[in-house]
Structure formats: C-alpha cells, structure tokens
Amino acid sequence: MSDPLRLGIAGLGTVGVGVLKIVRDQADLIAARAGRPVEVTAVSARTRDKDRGVSIDGMAWEDDPVALATRDDVDLFVEVMGGSDGPAKAATEAAIEAGKDVVTANKAMLAIHGQALAEAAEAANVVIRFEAAVAGGIPVIKALTEGLSANRIERVMGVMNGTCNYILTRMEATRQGYNALFEEADKLGYLEADPMLDVGGIDAGHKLALLSSIAFGTRVDFDAVQLEGIQAITLEDIVQARDMGYRIKLLGVAQMTGRGLEQRMMPCLVPAGSPLGQLEGGTNMVVIDGDSVGQIVMRGAGAGEGPTASAVMADVIDIARGIRVSTFGQAASGLRQVRAASSAVPAPYYIRMALLDKPGALAKVATVLGDNGISIHRMRQYDHAETTAPVLIVTHRTTRSALDEAVAGMLRTGVVAGDPVVLRIEEV
Amino acid sequence: MSDPLRLGIAGLGTVGVGVLKIVRDQADLIAARAGRPVEVTAVSARTRDKDRGVSIDGMAWEDDPVALATRDDVDLFVEVMGGSDGPAKAATEAAIEAGKDVVTANKAMLAIHGQALAEAAEAANVVIRFEAAVAGGIPVIKALTEGLSANRIERVMGVMNGTCNYILTRMEATRQGYNALFEEADKLGYLEADPMLDVGGIDAGHKLALLSSIAFGTRVDFDAVQLEGIQAITLEDIVQARDMGYRIKLLGVAQMTGRGLEQRMMPCLVPAGSPLGQLEGGTNMVVIDGDSVGQIVMRGAGAGEGPTASAVMADVIDIARGIRVSTFGQAASGLRQVRAASSAVPAPYYIRMALLDKPGALAKVATVLGDNGISIHRMRQYDHAETTAPVLIVTHRTTRSALDEAVAGMLRTGVVAGDPVVLRIEEV
C-alpha cells in the first residue's frame, strides 16, 4: 500500500463535515478502493471552536485557507467554502500554484473562473475535480466526462436545484402560493444566504454552464445562460399546467444548434408522466442525449451532507487512485469559444395573461399572435370575480423571438393587464 | 499529443461494428478527449469477407483472436466475441500475458472467470474494463466503481435484460401470452442464440454478479445468484399484478445481509408507479443505494450497437487517458469470499395457484399458510370455466423458506393442481 493521500479541507459547513465523517467512518473501505489510505491533515473554517458532531483533533488548524492550501503536509486541497471569489478562489489558485490537486464543490467559482482555473491547473500539472458542484450525489460529471466520452453529446438537460423543485412540487401538493412555500423553504434552511441563487435560477445556471462545457467542448460561458427564476410562477399556472398534462419545473437545457450553443435555465412545462415531470421535492435529475448511447437518465439527491460529501470523496478517491482527467474533459486550450444562441430551438409555449374586460379583447390578442405567425393550439378564458379575466394560451411550435414580439404587440393593444407569464413547453 | 492508442478488436458482430464506426466517425472528438488518437490496427472475426457497413481496409486481419491479442502493434485488446470460455477467454488470457490492457463486453466470461482474470491482470500490471458488460450504454460500472466509491453500498438492484422486459411489457400491452411474445422477440432478433440466457435470467444474473463484486468488495460468485426466469409468467399474472398496483419485472437484487450476500435475479412485483415499475421495452435501469449518497437511479438503453459500443469506447478512452482502475474496484487479492445468503430479506409474496373444485379446498390452503406463520394480506378466487379455480394470494412479509415450506404443504393437501407461481413483491 502506498503513502496516504493527505487532505487539507477549507470549509467546515455541511459539506466539509460530511467529508470528515466519511474519511473517519469509511477509512478501511476507502483504503481498499483507493489502494492507499486517505487522511485529513489540516482544516480551515471561520470558527475554530464549534461542535460540529465530528472531531478535528489531530488535524492542524489554519485560519487562512490560503495557508492551508499551500501546506507541505497537504497533497490535495478540498475547497468546500463556496463563493465565486474571495477566499475560495484565492485558496484554489494558491493550491494550484503550489502543485496541489483540487477537489471543489464550488459551482459559482468554476462557472465564472473555470477557464482560467483549468488553464492554471494544466500549466501546474494538477487536476481540478468538481463532481459535488453539480447535482449533488449524482455522479453526472463523471458520466459526462468519462462514461459517455465516446459520444457527440446532443443535449444535456436537468432539474438541478432541489430548492426550486421543492417549492414547485409543494405548491402543487399544498395548493399554496409561491410566497408561502418560499417561506417554508427558508424555515427549513433550504435557501442559500442569497435566495436569488436558488429561486432566481443562478445556482442551477452555474451547474448548467459546467455541464455544457464538458458536453460540447466549449469554454464555460455562464453569462450566455438565459436565466429565469421561478418567482413569477403562480399556483394557477401549476394547476392549469397539471390540468393539461404538464408539470412546471425549473429546467436547464443545453444544446448545440446551427446558430450556436443554446443554454437556458428557466421554468418550463414538461409532460407530467415523463421522468422529469415526476420528479418530487429536492431530488435532481439529469438527462443526457448522446449520438451513440441514446438517452441516459440519472436521478438522485441534489444536496445534503451525505450526497454532496459522497461526490467530494469520489473525486478524492479518484485522485488517490491516480485518475487524472482534464477539468472539462479535454485540454483547456482546446475548449472552443462558441457563439451563444438564444432560444434557437422552437417549441410550443404556454402564455397566461389577464385581459381587461373590454369588448373584442380576446380577438385583439389572438390577432397579434396570428400577425406574428404563431398559431394557437388551445385557449381558455375563465370567469373571475375580478375586473380582469385570466386567459391561457398554448401555442403551436414557435420561436422565442416571435413570441417575444407577439407579447410586446399584445401589451400595445392596451387590453392586457400586467405582464403575461410565458413558459416554454419542453418536449423531453 | 501522445502516440496513438492502437486497438485490436476481436469480434465484428453488432458491438464490434459499432466500435469501428465510433472510431471512424468520432476521431477528432476522441483525440481531444483522450489527449491522443485512438486507432484500430487489427481485427479478427469468424468471416473475413462480409459487408458490415463499415470498412476494415487498412486494418490487419487475424483468423485467430489469440494471435490478434498478442500482436506487437496492438496496445489494447477489445474482446467483443462473447462466450464465457473458448476463444474469448483464450484471447483475453493471451492479451493479459502479453501485457495488453483489455476492454470486454463479455459478462459471461467475467461472471465465471472474473476472479482469475482480475488476478492475472493485476500480476501483469494491465487493466480489464467491462462497462459494456452490464446495462449496455448506462455507465453503471463506472458509477459504482468510481462515482460512488466513498459509499458503503447497501443494495444494488436493476432490470438488466432488455429482452425480458420487452416480453413482459409487450404481454401487458398486447394481452398476449408468453409464447406469442417469445416468438415475436425471436423474430426481432432480440434473443441470444441460447434463449435461456435471456428468458432464464442467466445473462442478467451474470450482470448482477459483476455489480455485486464491485459493490460489496467480494469475489464474483455467479453460482450463488438465485436464478429464476420469466417462462412461468402468464398474462393472468401480469393482469392481476397490474390490478393490484404492481408490474412484473425480471429484477436483480444484491444486498449484504447479516447472513451473507444475497443475490437474486427473478421475476418480482414492483409498484407500478415506481421508476422500475414504469420501465418499458428494452430499457434498463439500475438503482444503487449507498450509505452517504442515498439512492441513485440510472436509466438507458440496455443493448444495441450504439449504446454498447458507447460503453466499450468509454473504457477505451479511459485507458487512452491513463485511467487505470482495478477490475472490481480494488485489489483482486482483497476481494472477500463471503457466504451466500438465500432470501434472507423477508418480503410480501404473490402466489397464484389452481385449486381443484373440492369442498374446503381454499380453507386447506389458508390453514397451511397459517401453520407456517404466514398471514394473508389479500386473497381472490375467480370463477372459471375449468375444473380448477384460480386463486391469488398476497401474503404479508415472510421469508422465502417459510413460503417454500408452505407451498410444499399446500401440494401435500391434494387440492392444488400443478405448481403454484410464487413471486416476490419487492419494495423498491
């Protein structure tokens, strides 16, 4: 058996504590699988004295994660602090410069600085692995980078923010509105310190940008992800969607089109009976279409101490075994800078709007759609006690740009109150 | 870029041809991901001149796969001939002895000779990879060996024979009996040359034995797999199961129990709404429960040219990248020989039998169950035009041994015609 692999862990929150527990509880199993022991030699966190339910006795303490990352007795730097910049980035860069491999759960840092970090790692001949950054315990980074490496990837799709899926499925189950469930999620500790990371789709967008890079051999381009959060989704949208055989999911889709790479993270209607449509609560699902393999679906817990630590430690064991893979699956210099395509792939759309109670209002809206070349698949107008009447329209396949023009036209008619809700119907 | 990795491919059936096509069509993508080109230098098959839809011009030809496996211009031996012994085994052994890495799709060979081959590979410092041997294109060997390596695996479960799932789901869809669908599957070319490999559960049993070894760090023990095929399943079983909210699947389950390692591959009732219950046609699904990660579900095509070749080539690209993992995820010498447990885990059971039209027949059967400590959850007796009456019983949780004794007791009462069908109800 070879020398132990010595970890330095920066961040002792949920994930860091989970990693410490696995190293402690599964030492024999890890040593057998890795072919060498794995041990934690040093840790760093905001607060030293705190009951974390796991002992850090015998491990060196560093207040400064940069100092931790560069210690001589650390072979591998485990970054589980989070935050796209600041200490996480500084310590990661220092680790790379000091010739240490890096395992991180930090989707924000990689989505924003991934290319630079990958290039630095390559120059220093170290690896950066980040299984825990996407879809929690689901080994999807490995599946995409290695398990499906012989495929030209056609599409990557997924529900990758458990908090949003929790809110959406609980809205349906409890018949409560968005605000009530947002508060419930907050009380349960499901929300990030900045809740927009979750409900604004930013966290899930970071994850999608990472998957895109691996899938299509492109430079991570988070800025090109079309982002929409779930804040505008009402209980009525959920009920109406369900009534038509759909469920609403915060769905990420990345695909290469003739016009460039399309990456979108937004609430969509998906068939209720599809695997994505059936996804409940905090569970994540990633769907990968490859030219040879067809469709692969992976499902599992998207967050939590155990699942996330499982992913971190899988990367650690890989490195202990001598598995060394380029950050995004190929040389960083070879990753292409591609054009971003915006909703190049046509789809049917769901539109909900409130019409003012004026004669001919519905006809005006329908005319605008027709003028923009959009045909209507279904339309429903409801009686309401209010002065406006809710109208739902499901269109046939159209482009987002045609739809956006139509919506602008509708607003100009003066019969639409407020902003219409427009949701793509994804054929999964 | 490094030197090309040179493949020698033995077997140019569906899988071999699929591999040739990927090497030809995805050369650039593979070179970028592997960091070096992959090329095929030599091939071997039963017939040289045959239109395979892909050219073998420029590749050396060998009639003898052993000669192929040991050629100086072959770095990696790709064994896609099949068969547990004979040429496949001889060539694999020769390749290992000659210091060549091996990628194989051969579940039978590994299920029976896996330990010896793993030891030989270790001694020769070569690797054997076999992603394509289990669940076609689903990267489940990689997920279990690497992606979930930090977990103590609690259970591995799966539908891993597409032909059986095709027959079972088509019986339900078309309301035809087993024999009609067996013939349909045969006409479609879905059956192995020896159909018992499929419908007898042997092929799926081989796959389960391989997953068990990785999951539990044990020596492959195919002989310990409790095997039952799907031949006894009638349309009535399928209809009745469905009526009770279940579907019948040829389901493999491996779990470590207090009494040893339990491995069973047999038709079971699973909840119709569960991911396994919803699996249609030739699709495969593997469900892995780990102590940290919770439950991971993976779904994809279980067979076919593209999916299987995708898995073979993922192994090839891994090796081209320098990824070297022990055959069953840890040193072969460290794999434990464990006791086989037979149905140690209790479960409810479904029993269908034909009762002779005699007074008190049903009471006799119920008494025998009670005498064996088995309580009845549901029971149905149907009117029938025949001289026997079909009776269905769903028991509460019990052990298989108690149930087997009860069935023997029922047969001794003289009121049961033929052999009862007994199916486990798996709580998935």
Side-chain angles (χ1 to χ4, degrees):
Chain A
M1 191 144 309
S2 322
D3 289 339
L5 180 74
R6 300 166 302 173
L7 313 184
I9 302 178
L12 294 179
T14 307
V15 184
V17 166
V19 169
L20 286 177
K21 287 183 188 166
I22 292 181
V23 171
R24 178 193 67 190
D25 298 341
Q26 308 286 17
D28 293 349
L29 180 149
I30 291 170
R33 292 178 181 166
R36 57 195 287 203
V38 170
E39 57 187 46
V40 180
T41 45
V43 294
S44 169
R46 268 193 290 257
T47 318
R48 181 165 187 170
D49 296 316
K50 185 175 167 182
D51 182 9
R52 301 183 163 92
V54 58
S55 167
I56 56 169
D57 292 351
M59 300 169 198
W61 175 269
E62 296 280 0
D63 289 315
D64 177 8
V66 171
L68 177 94
T70 53
R71 283 176 67 97
D72 285 342
D73 61 359
V74 164
D75 304 312
L76 192 163
F77 176 57
V78 178
E79 188 282 300
V80 285
M81 290 178 282
S84 61
D85 292 83
K89 177 160 170 273
T92 300
E93 288 169 341
I96 292 169
E97 202 174 324
K100 320 286 191 188
D101 295 319
V102 175
V103 170
T104 176
N106 195 327
K107 58 225 84 166
M109 178 178 75
L110 289 174
I112 295 167
H113 307 292
Q115 180 68 25
L117 290 171
E119 287 174 9
E122 218 161 274
N125 199 25
V126 303
V127 298
I128 303 175
R129 302 314 302 148
F130 55 98
E131 186 63 80
V134 179
I138 306 176
V140 63
I141 297 293
K142 183 167 277 284
L144 202 53
T145 315
E146 302 167 32
L148 304 174
S149 58
N151 287 264
R152 187 171 52 73
I153 300 298
E154 296 168 344
R155 186 175 62 173
V156 180
M157 196 161 63
V159 170
M160 295 181 282
N161 183 285
T163 304
C164 287
N165 203 52
Y166 175 84
I167 290 175
L168 292 172
T169 53
R170 285 280 293 169
M171 282 171 74
E172 182 178 337
T174 66
R175 303 274 153 159
Q176 289 179 280
Y178 171 80
N179 291 334
L181 271 305
F182 178 89
E183 276 168 34
E184 182 177 301
D186 195 20
K187 272 184 203 143
L188 291 166
Y190 289 180
L191 287 166
E192 302 266 357
D194 173 4
M196 275 302 289
L197 286 173
D198 287 312
V199 299
I202 299 170
D203 164 86
H206 288 150
K207 294 170 182 168
L208 185 70
L210 298 177
L211 293 180
S212 287
S213 172
I214 303 166
F216 305 108
T218 52
R219 290 172 171 238
V220 193
D221 190 0
F222 169 66
D223 289 338
V225 177
Q226 296 169 258
L227 274 187
E228 277 175 36
I230 63 167
Q231 308 98 316
I233 306 295
T234 63
L235 178 58
E236 182 160 4
D237 291 323
I238 288 174
V239 170
Q240 294 299 340
R242 190 70 202 226
D243 195 42
M244 294 187 290
Y246 294 100
R247 293 182 90 189
I248 298 177
K249 300 287 168 191
L250 178 66
L251 183 71
V253 180
Q255 61 194 123
M256 191 61 79
T257 73
R259 291 198 265 159
L261 176 61
E262 179 159 343
Q263 302 179 82
R264 51 179 189 269
M265 178 59 70
M266 47 180 68
C268 293
L269 275 65
V270 300
S274 66
L276 282 165
Q278 293 176 310
L279 208 61
E280 297 291 336
T283 314
N284 280 201
M285 180 174 284
V286 181
V287 179
I288 302 170
D289 289 292
D291 64 340
S292 288
V293 79
Q295 187 170 86
I296 297 290
V297 179
M298 302 178 82
R299 200 190 76 174
E305 178 182 302
T308 313
S310 164
V312 169
M313 285 304 298
D315 283 342
V316 168
I317 294 170
D318 269 7
I319 289 170
R321 277 171 163 159
I323 296 179
R324 304 185 75 75
V325 179
S326 303
T327 311
F328 297 107
Q330 56 181 278
S333 56
L335 295 165
R336 290 174 302 145
Q337 179 84 59
V338 292
R339 211 176 127 183
S342 174
S343 298
V345 185
Y349 280 85
Y350 163 101
I351 311 168
R352 176 175 55 79
M353 69 191 87
L355 281 193
L356 297 179
D357 193 9
K358 290 184 180 175
L362 199 56
K364 280 185 186 164
V365 162
T367 302
V368 171
L369 283 170
D371 289 348
N372 284 279
I374 300 169
S375 60
I376 295 172
H377 178 53
R378 305 198 228 186
M379 183 187 267
R380 292 181 183 181
Q381 178 168 342
Y382 291 85
D383 265 352
H384 244 241
E386 298 153 30
T387 56
T388 58
V391 170
L392 299 176
I393 297 172
V394 174
T395 73
H396 283 290
R397 283 165 73 85
T398 180
T399 61
R400 180 74 197 216
S401 57
L403 200 77
D404 286 344
E405 279 182 37
V407 168
M410 287 175 193
L411 291 173
R412 282 194 300 270
T413 62
V415 300
V416 177
D419 280 330
V421 168
V422 175
L423 300 174
R424 188 180 166 97
I425 301 180
E426 197 68 46
E427 291 151 353
V428 292
Chain B
M1 189 141 316
S2 321
D3 290 338
L5 180 74
R6 300 166 301 173
L7 314 184
I9 302 177
L12 293 179
T14 306
V15 185
V17 165
V19 169
L20 286 178
K21 286 182 187 167
I22 292 181
V23 171
R24 179 193 66 190
D25 298 342
Q26 309 285 17
D28 292 348
L29 180 149
I30 291 169
R33 292 179 181 166
R36 58 194 287 204
V38 170
E39 57 186 46
V40 180
T41 45
V43 293
S44 168
R46 268 193 290 260
T47 318
R48 183 165 186 172
D49 297 316
K50 186 176 167 183
D51 182 9
R52 299 183 165 93
V54 57
S55 167
I56 56 170
D57 291 352
M59 301 170 195
W61 176 270
E62 294 281 359
D63 289 316
D64 177 9
V66 171
L68 177 94
T70 53
R71 286 175 65 99
D72 285 342
D73 60 359
V74 164
D75 304 312
L76 191 164
F77 176 57
V78 178
E79 188 283 299
V80 285
M81 289 179 282
S84 61
D85 293 83
K89 178 161 171 269
T92 300
E93 288 169 341
I96 292 169
E97 204 174 323
K100 319 286 191 189
D101 295 318
V102 175
V103 170
T104 176
N106 196 326
K107 56 225 84 166
M109 177 177 78
L110 288 174
I112 295 168
H113 306 292
Q115 181 67 26
L117 290 170
E119 288 174 7
E122 216 160 277
N125 198 25
V126 302
V127 298
I128 304 176
R129 300 316 301 149
F130 54 98
E131 186 63 80
V134 180
I138 306 174
V140 64
I141 297 291
K142 182 167 279 285
L144 201 53
T145 314
E146 302 166 33
L148 305 174
S149 59
N151 288 263
R152 186 171 52 72
I153 300 298
E154 295 168 344
R155 185 175 64 171
V156 180
M157 194 160 63
V159 169
M160 295 182 280
N161 183 284
T163 305
C164 286
N165 203 52
Y166 176 85
I167 290 175
L168 292 171
T169 53
R170 284 280 294 168
M171 283 171 72
E172 182 179 336
T174 66
R175 303 275 151 158
Q176 288 179 282
Y178 172 80
N179 291 335
L181 270 306
F182 178 89
E183 277 168 34
E184 183 176 301
D186 196 19
K187 272 183 203 144
L188 291 166
Y190 288 180
L191 287 166
E192 302 265 357
D194 173 5
M196 274 302 288
L197 285 173
D198 288 312
V199 297
I202 298 170
D203 164 84
H206 288 149
K207 295 169 182 167
L208 185 69
L210 297 177
L211 293 180
S212 287
S213 172
I214 302 166
F216 304 108
T218 52
R219 290 172 170 238
V220 193
D221 191 0
F222 169 66
D223 289 340
V225 178
Q226 296 169 261
L227 274 187
E228 277 175 36
I230 63 167
Q231 308 98 315
I233 306 296
T234 63
L235 178 58
E236 182 159 3
D237 291 324
I238 288 174
V239 171
Q240 293 297 340
R242 190 70 203 227
D243 195 43
M244 294 186 292
Y246 294 101
R247 294 183 89 189
I248 299 177
K249 298 287 167 192
L250 178 67
L251 183 70
V253 180
Q255 62 195 123
M256 191 62 79
T257 74
R259 292 197 265 159
L261 176 61
E262 179 159 345
Q263 302 178 83
R264 51 179 189 271
M265 178 58 70
M266 48 180 66
C268 291
L269 275 64
V270 300
S274 66
L276 282 165
Q278 292 176 310
L279 208 61
E280 297 291 335
T283 314
N284 280 201
M285 181 175 281
V286 182
V287 180
I288 303 170
D289 290 292
D291 65 341
S292 288
V293 80
Q295 187 170 86
I296 296 289
V297 178
M298 302 177 81
R299 201 191 75 173
E305 179 183 300
T308 314
S310 163
V312 168
M313 284 305 298
D315 283 341
V316 167
I317 293 169
D318 269 6
I319 289 171
R321 276 172 162 159
I323 297 180
R324 306 186 71 77
V325 179
S326 304
T327 311
F328 297 106
Q330 56 181 279
S333 57
L335 295 166
R336 290 174 303 145
Q337 178 83 60
V338 292
R339 211 175 127 185
S342 176
S343 297
V345 185
Y349 281 86
Y350 162 102
I351 312 169
R352 177 176 53 80
M353 69 190 88
L355 281 193
L356 296 179
D357 192 9
K358 289 182 178 175
L362 199 56
K364 279 184 185 166
V365 162
T367 303
V368 170
L369 282 169
D371 289 349
N372 283 279
I374 299 170
S375 60
I376 296 172
H377 178 53
R378 304 199 228 185
M379 183 186 271
R380 291 181 184 182
Q381 179 168 342
Y382 292 86
D383 263 353
H384 244 242
E386 299 154 28
T387 56
T388 58
V391 171
L392 299 177
I393 297 171
V394 173
T395 74
H396 283 289
R397 283 165 74 87
T398 180
T399 61
R400 179 73 197 217
S401 57
L403 199 78
D404 286 344
E405 279 181 37
V407 168
M410 287 176 194
L411 291 172
R412 282 194 300 271
T413 61
V415 300
V416 178
D419 281 330
V421 168
V422 176
L423 300 175
R424 187 180 168 97
I425 300 179
E426 197 68 47
E427 291 151 353
V428 291

